[in-house]
Amino acid sequence: MSPVVDPTTGTVKVTVGVDEYPPGTRPGDFVHVSVTTARHEQALRVPNLAVFEDRGERIVYVAQDSVAARRPVKIGFIDETHTEITSASTAAKR
C-alpha cells in the first residue's frame, strides 16, 4: 500500500495478490473498496438526521411523556446513513 494519497483524486495505490481471478478481470482494473478498521457490534445507532449540533454540543430529541426532550450525546462512528451514540445524558431539557 502506498503511503501517499493522490491529492487530485483522493486515491491510494494498493497492490493485492489474488489466487483466483473473477471472470473478466484484467490487469490494471480498478476497484472500489471499503476498509473496516473497527466494528462496534452492539452500538446504538440513529439516523444522521436525528443528530443536531447546538452551541458546540451534539444533541438528539427523544420522546418523553409525549413531549420532545433534548438530550446531549457523545458520538462515535458516523457512516453514510447512521451515527453511533456512545453516551447520552439522562437529564431532560425541554
Side-chain angles (χ1 to χ4, degrees):
M1 184 166 150
S2 172
V4 178
V5 177
D6 183 324
T8 57
T9 63
T11 59
V12 176
K13 182 179 180 180
V14 177
T15 303
V16 178
V18 179
D19 294 331
E20 238 179 89
Y21 291 96
T25 304
R26 300 171 307 195
D29 278 353
F30 286 87
V31 297
H32 177 84
V33 298
S34 295
V35 178
T36 302
T37 58
R39 293 181 68 103
H40 295 172
E41 297 295 335
Q42 301 299 319
L44 170 63
R45 297 180 344 134
V46 298
N48 291 341
L49 294 173
V51 181
F52 300 90
E53 187 166 339
D54 182 29
R55 292 174 259 161
E57 186 174 57
R58 300 285 176 108
I59 61 167
V60 297
Y61 287 92
V62 298
Q64 181 178 8
D65 301 323
S66 301
V67 176
R70 181 185 188 275
R71 297 286 164 76
V73 296
K74 290 191 170 124
I75 62 170
F77 291 151
I78 301 172
D79 64 20
E80 298 83 21
T81 58
H82 289 87
T83 298
E84 175 189 21
I85 304 299
T86 59
S87 69
S89 169
T90 56
K93 294 181 183 177
R94 295 183 185 182

